[in-house]
Amino acid sequence: MSGDALSQDPAELRRRIDTTKAHPARVYDVFLGGKDNYPVDRAAAAAALAANPRGYLDVRHNRDFLRRAVNTLVQEDGIRQFLDVGTGLPTAENVHQIAQRTIPDARVVYVDNDPVVLAHARALLTSGPEGRTDYIDADFKSPAQILEQAAKTLDFDQPIALCLVAILHFVEDEEAYPIVRELVDALPAGSRLVLSHLTEDLNPENIRAVQRTYTERGFTFVLRTRAEVERFFSESSLEMVDPGVVPVHRWRADNAAPVPDQPEASYLAGLDDIEKVRYADINDVTDADINVYAGVGNKA
């Protein structure tokens, strides 16, 4: 599937891209300062930012959690394989770049079903010479297909970190919990689940306003409580890694979130609010800014 996906005819890819409807991966890309999005995605991001002016901190800290989690797993636990489902558009830094800095022969498989992500997937395959990366064009709701294709690159006799970062709030309960169980059940002992999820526990007024902007655009958008997020781990019999399920900026915070290079003040002043987000320093975060839980679980 992955090889076939990357060889898809460009015209077929363009046909698959719906530029009339916002897509979560592309809206996420807007908040990360990417350029692989469309006016409809920028409009959705702008509406969310208007509803919660510091909501970009959720997105940026979610991405920084992924950096910290991958670093922890490779540096402290020696995890050498990653299955990143709901990858989104390539952005600095991707999982293989983080992992291979410490473990050059790390293997990473990326999974997404957005044709825009597929069109840029080769950027996700720039592995170091000792490691391997692959891309699977598949839906999260097709776990058997994901596992079958991932086994071509990953060794399912050795621990694997399954990354479900900011994807599950787009999936209803009746599908989300069984799919996570099926994916985790296929992993060997010593594997990890890396998970983040939007919640209304922390700052409900802000996130409910954002939720309305997304549901009005046809997105499934499920806000789950801490207990409901913990259920993804407990139903798969995973042991929580310290500090458990916590607000995303508090998961092993190292105060090292990268600060983007700053442009001239005159240039910055000419940008609209959504364009300024890419230059924001996220290290001034407070608990009142965050609506995301994060956690890592260990399969004994």
Side-chain angles (χ1 to χ4, degrees):
M1 178 65 182
S2 55
D4 294 340
L6 291 173
S7 62
Q8 276 196 24
D9 181 70
E12 171 63 16
L13 273 180
R14 287 194 295 272
R15 186 193 65 77
R16 285 179 55 190
I17 297 171
D18 183 356
T19 61
T20 67
K21 182 180 179 182
H23 189 284
R26 302 194 309 254
V27 174
Y28 194 72
D29 183 63
V30 175
F31 279 110
L32 291 174
K35 300 183 183 301
D36 300 311
N37 48 72
Y38 294 91
V40 67
D41 305 306
R42 292 189 286 275
L49 191 67
N52 181 15
R54 285 176 60 85
Y56 65 88
L57 289 164
D58 280 334
V59 178
R60 295 271 300 280
H61 274 281
N62 179 75
R63 187 73 189 183
D64 200 58
F65 158 69
L66 181 62
R67 173 186 66 83
R68 301 192 309 275
V70 173
N71 274 333
T72 297
L73 295 186
V74 297
Q75 293 173 7
E76 298 181 13
D77 303 329
I79 300 292
R80 317 174 80 84
Q81 303 188 105
F82 293 82
L83 178 57
D84 184 1
V85 183
T87 301
L89 285 148
T91 187
E93 287 182 298
N94 298 298
V95 170
H96 71 277
Q97 294 165 315
I98 302 168
Q100 290 177 359
R101 186 179 298 121
T102 301
I103 300 180
D105 64 349
R107 298 183 178 194
V108 179
V109 171
Y110 296 102
V111 183
D112 210 301
N113 72 327
D114 178 17
V116 174
V117 179
L118 174 57
H120 293 274
R122 286 181 178 84
L124 293 166
L125 303 179
T126 54
S127 172
E130 299 173 58
R132 287 187 61 187
T133 62
D134 202 358
Y135 179 88
I136 300 171
D137 179 25
D139 195 300
F140 172 74
K141 297 178 182 179
S142 302
Q145 178 190 2
I146 291 171
L147 293 166
E148 178 186 359
Q149 297 299 322
K152 297 177 181 179
T153 300
L154 304 179
D155 179 358
F156 275 73
D157 291 326
Q158 299 296 324
I160 296 169
L162 170 63
C163 301
L164 300 177
V165 176
I167 181 175
L168 290 167
H169 42 254
F170 298 116
V171 187
E172 298 286 0
D173 283 359
E174 62 269 18
E175 293 180 301
Y177 290 103
I179 290 170
V180 173
R181 284 198 304 273
E182 183 171 348
L183 290 170
V184 172
D185 283 350
L187 303 179
S191 293
R192 304 292 194 273
L193 172 61
V194 178
L195 185 152
S196 66
H197 199 296
L198 282 167
T199 183
E200 61 181 352
D201 283 0
L202 305 173
N203 298 289
E205 185 175 344
N206 287 347
I207 196 61
R208 285 172 188 159
V210 173
Q211 181 184 40
R212 285 193 295 273
T213 71
Y214 282 107
T215 55
E216 287 167 359
R217 288 164 171 79
F219 290 0
T220 298
F221 207 80
V222 184
L223 301 173
R224 292 187 171 97
T225 65
R226 184 196 296 264
E228 289 168 333
V229 174
E230 290 172 340
R231 181 181 159 196
F232 286 111
F233 297 93
S234 63
E235 285 199 357
S236 295
S237 301
L238 298 174
E239 301 172 349
M240 293 304 308
V241 172
D242 184 67
V245 172
V246 296
V248 68
H249 64 306
R250 294 189 172 277
W251 196 92
R252 301 203 180 182
D254 59 12
N255 301 311
V259 179
D261 293 335
Q262 296 300 298
E264 294 290 335
S266 58
Y267 173 80
L268 194 62
L271 301 179
D272 62 27
D273 288 344
I274 198 65
E275 292 171 324
K276 290 177 181 176
V277 162
R278 74 183 68 177
Y279 299 110
D281 179 358
I282 66 170
N283 291 294
D284 66 342
V285 66
T286 71
D287 289 353
D289 294 318
I290 293 299
N291 303 280
V292 182
Y293 281 133
V296 174
N298 175 33
K299 185 171 182 179

